[in-house]
C-alpha cells in the first residue's frame, strides 16, 4: 500500500538503483533547463522501470 516514510515517493516509479542515483543527481541541479531534463528523465525512467518488480524491502511474516 503506502511506501515507508523514509522512502521518497519517486521510488515508486523509478525502481532501479542506478535510476535512483541519477534522479538524485539531476534533482540537485538548479535552473529551468535542469528541471526540464529532470522531468524528461523521470518520464523515460518510469516507462523503462514499469516492468521491473518493486525493490521495497520485504517484511518478515508476523508471528501470532
Amino acid at each position: 500500500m503506502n511506501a515507508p516514510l523514509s522512502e521518497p515517493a519517486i521510488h515508486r516509479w523509478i525502481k532501479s538503483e542506478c535510476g535512483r542515483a541519477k534522479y538524485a543527481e539531476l534533482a540537485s541541479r538548479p535552473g529551468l533547463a535542469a528541471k526540464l531534463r529532470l522531468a524528461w528523465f523521470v518520464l523515460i525512467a518510469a516507462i523503462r522501470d514499469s516492468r521491473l518488480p518493486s525493490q521495497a524491502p520485504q517484511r518478515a511474516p508476523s508471528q501470532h
Side-chain angles (χ1 to χ4, degrees):
M1 296 220 192
N2 291 335
L5 294 177
S6 62
E7 183 176 296
I10 195 70
H11 287 189
R12 180 175 165 204
W13 302 104
I14 301 175
K15 299 174 185 173
S16 65
E17 287 300 318
C18 61
R20 291 174 178 181
K22 187 68 172 183
Y23 171 82
E25 176 190 334
L26 293 174
S28 68
R29 295 181 181 179
L32 179 61
K35 298 305 175 197
L36 291 173
R37 170 71 169 93
L38 177 63
W40 179 251
F41 172 78
V42 169
L43 176 67
I44 299 301
I47 292 170
R48 290 186 65 190
D49 288 356
S50 66
R51 59 190 170 157
L52 295 177
S54 178
Q55 292 184 354
Q58 298 291 324
R59 293 188 327 167
S62 60
Q63 297 176 351
H64 289 25

